[in-house]
């Protein structure tokens, strides 16, 4: 299957969108802890959210340097 390479602008927009969604995941995990929700759900939302946010931030910084 042929893929079209994304330009820097689309890559940047995708990374910002991923960062926003990761922050939402972290907030949902914090709210789940605050309302005495299941701890497993809070961890499932917070840990991947933090990983995704970290990757997005690193890629945005590297993209800005080029």
């Amino acid at each position: 299957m042929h893929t079209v390479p994304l330009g820097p602008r689309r890559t940047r927009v995708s990374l910002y969108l991923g960062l926003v969604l990761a922050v939402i995941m972290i907030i949902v995990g914090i709210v789940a802890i605050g309302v005495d929700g299941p701890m497993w759900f809070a961890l499932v939302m917070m840990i991947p959210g933090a990983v995704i946010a970290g990757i997005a931030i690193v890629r945005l910084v590297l993209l800005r340097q080029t």
Side-chain angles (χ1 to χ4, degrees):
M1 181 171 178
H2 180 69
T3 59
V4 178
L6 296 176
R9 183 174 180 204
R10 285 191 178 184
T11 302
R12 192 173 293 118
V13 170
S14 296
L15 289 171
Y16 279 123
L17 184 60
L19 183 60
V20 167
L21 293 176
V23 169
I24 290 171
M25 286 175 66
I26 294 170
I27 291 170
V28 167
I30 291 170
V31 169
I33 291 174
V35 297
D36 289 333
M39 184 58 77
W40 65 268
F41 179 76
L43 292 176
V44 164
M45 294 302 280
M46 289 175 63
I47 293 172
V51 170
I52 294 168
I55 292 171
I57 290 170
V58 167
R59 295 228 19 222
L60 280 168
V61 168
L62 291 175
L63 189 63
R64 188 172 299 247
Q65 289 179 354
T66 58

